[in-house]
Amino acid sequence: MRTKSRKTTFSRAALAVTVLALAAAGCGKSSTESGGGGSSASAGTYSGKGIGLAYDVGGKGDQSFNDAAFAGFQKAEKEFGIGGRDVEPSDNESSADKVQRLEQLARAGYNPVIGVGFVYAPAVKEVAAKYPKVTFGIVDDDTVKAKNVADLLFDAEQSSYLAGVAAAKATKKHHIGFIGGVDVPLIHTFEAGFDQGARSVDPKIKIESQYLTQTAQEGGFSSPDKGKDAASGQIEAGADVIYHAAGLSGQGVIQSAAQHKVWAIGVDSDQYKQSSLADYKDWILGSALKNVGGAVYELTRSVVQGKPLSGEVRGDLKSGGVGFADSNPRYRAMKDVVAAVEKARQDIIDGKVTVEAR
C-alpha cells in the first residue's frame, strides 16, 4: 500500500553513499543496463525490473551532481540484488525527449524511475499520471505533487553557508568568488548560502559573482571551458578562493584555480576524491556536499520494501543530506578554518543560525 504524501528526511546512514568510489562513471550518450540476478532477501516482494535513472545536463562522468546519483544507483543495485538502467541526456533535447525517456523506463518495468534535476519536472508530472503504480522521483524540484512522486530536495544553502565560512577563513586577500552554472533559482540558493556564510566571518569581504549562462541549453552546466574562463577572470580580479555550483563546468573552475595556485571549493560530490580531478586535488579546499546518491538509494529502498516514499523527502545538515567534505589534508591542517566550519555546522543544526535560501 502506498504511503501518504509527507515531508520526511532520508536517514543519516545514506550519507555514506556520497563517498563511494566513482571511478566506474564514464562519459558518452549510451545507456547502460545491468541485471541484478533477481530480488535478494532484503527485497521482499519487490517485482520491478530495477532502478531507472535519467541523468541531467552533463550526464554521467561530471564528477559532481550526476555521478552522485549514479553512486546511489550502484549501491542500491548491489545491496538489493536488483537490476537497473541509467540513461544519458542528448544535446539540445526537448521536453518531449525527457517524457519519452521516462516513459520508456516505466513501460519497461523499472521502479522507481528517477529524473536527476529540476528540468525533469514537466516530464515527471506527465508520465507519473500515466503510470500510477510506478514510483517516480525528481531531484531538486518540489512542484510535482502526486501520490506516486517523491520530491528529492536538499537544503543546499546550508552546505553552501559552510563553504562560505571556509572561504572567508581561508582567503588571504579578503576576496573570494562564486560561479554558478545557470542563472536559475536553484543555483541562487547556493550563492545565497555562500554569501551569508562568508559575511558571517567577514562582513566587508569582497565577493565576485558570475553565472555562466542564462539557460542550461547554452551549456552552463556542461562546459568546462566556460568555467575555466570565468574562474581565471575572478582570479585576475583578486579572488583567491572560488566556489562553484556549475556541474561539469566546475571542472574548469577547479583546473583554473589549481593552475593559479588558489583555492577551489567543489560541489555536490567530494571532488577531492574524483579521479578526473586528481591532478588538481591539492587545491580543492573542500566540497559542499549534496547527498543525491543517498536520496536515490533511500527512494529505491522504500520501493523495494513495499513502502514507497512520496511527497517531500528533504536532506539537511541534521539528517546528513548536505554537508562539507574535509578530505584534503591541507584543509584539515588549517585548524582555525576547520573549527569555524564545525561551529557553523553545529549552530545551524541547533537552530542558532538560520540560513536564507534567497
Side-chain angles (χ1 to χ4, degrees):
M1 183 175 180
R2 185 169 298 279
T3 59
K4 294 181 179 179
S5 179
R6 63 194 183 280
K7 179 178 179 180
T8 186
T9 57
F10 52 84
S11 71
R12 180 171 289 275
L15 181 60
V17 173
T18 57
V19 298
L20 288 176
L22 295 173
C27 299
K29 301 297 180 185
S30 62
S31 302
T32 60
E33 185 168 1
S34 59
S39 299
S40 67
S42 63
T45 58
Y46 177 73
S47 59
K49 194 172 182 178
I51 319 161
L53 192 70
Y55 293 114
D56 197 2
V57 175
K60 187 166 66 178
D62 66 352
Q63 305 290 313
S64 183
F65 182 63
N66 289 296
D67 279 359
F70 180 58
F73 172 90
Q74 287 185 303
K75 180 177 172 64
E77 275 190 314
K78 181 178 180 180
E79 185 162 322
F80 304 126
I82 59 176
R85 184 181 180 189
D86 60 328
V87 190
E88 297 281 359
S90 58
D91 294 333
N92 301 314
E93 67 181 21
S94 66
S95 295
D97 293 324
K98 293 181 176 62
V99 169
Q100 183 181 41
R101 184 176 303 126
L102 297 185
E103 195 158 8
Q104 287 176 341
L105 290 170
R107 186 168 58 245
Y110 292 99
N111 188 17
V113 173
I114 302 171
V116 185
F118 65 88
V119 294
Y120 278 98
V124 167
K125 183 177 182 180
E126 180 176 336
V127 180
K130 297 178 182 178
Y131 295 87
K133 294 184 179 180
V134 175
T135 293
F136 291 82
I138 180 166
V139 179
D140 286 339
D141 180 83
D142 63 355
T143 64
V144 184
K145 306 298 182 185
K147 291 182 179 180
N148 62 326
V149 175
D151 298 319
L152 308 177
L153 305 170
F154 303 87
D155 290 341
E157 69 275 10
Q158 293 183 352
S159 53
S160 296
Y161 183 99
L162 302 186
V165 170
K169 292 292 290 185
T171 179
K172 295 179 179 179
K173 297 182 178 180
H174 305 283
H175 192 167
I176 61 178
F178 171 81
I179 295 174
V182 180
D183 190 357
V184 292
L186 173 66
I187 306 304
H188 297 169
T189 296
F190 289 81
E191 182 183 15
F194 181 69
D195 283 9
Q196 187 180 342
R199 296 191 191 284
S200 74
V201 174
D202 181 359
K204 296 182 179 180
I205 195 168
K206 186 172 183 178
I207 305 176
E208 303 287 337
S209 179
Q210 183 175 350
Y211 289 87
L212 300 179
T213 63
Q214 293 298 305
T215 67
Q217 289 74 20
E218 297 172 278
F221 291 133
S222 57
S223 305
D225 58 327
K226 294 182 187 295
K228 185 175 183 179
D229 288 345
S232 296
Q234 292 194 356
I235 293 165
E236 289 175 9
D240 63 352
V241 185
I242 300 177
Y243 172 46
H244 85 84
L248 182 64
S249 300
Q251 292 192 22
V253 174
I254 292 170
Q255 182 180 359
S256 179
Q259 289 174 345
H260 288 88
K261 299 188 184 306
V262 304
W263 290 115
I265 297 178
V267 77
D268 293 339
S269 297
D270 184 351
Q271 299 202 282
Y272 178 85
K273 294 185 175 181
Q274 304 309 314
S275 57
S276 68
L277 297 171
D279 290 343
Y280 316 112
K281 67 179 184 179
D282 286 348
W283 292 99
I284 300 175
L285 183 67
S287 297
L289 300 175
K290 187 165 71 173
N291 196 4
V292 178
V296 168
Y297 170 83
E298 288 285 354
L299 180 59
T300 305
R301 180 170 69 171
S302 75
V303 173
V304 168
Q305 293 180 344
K307 298 178 180 179
L309 294 169
S310 65
E312 287 192 13
V313 183
R314 183 171 292 276
D316 58 12
L317 279 178
K318 187 173 184 178
S319 69
V322 298
F324 190 77
D326 63 352
S327 301
N328 191 339
R330 293 182 63 196
Y331 167 78
R332 294 198 301 270
M334 302 164 68
K335 302 300 184 183
D336 59 332
V337 180
V338 174
V341 171
E342 176 55 29
K343 183 179 185 303
R345 185 188 74 84
Q346 197 59 50
D347 283 347
I348 293 170
I349 291 173
D350 293 343
K352 295 178 181 179
V353 170
T354 299
V355 186
E356 301 297 331
R358 296 287 187 272

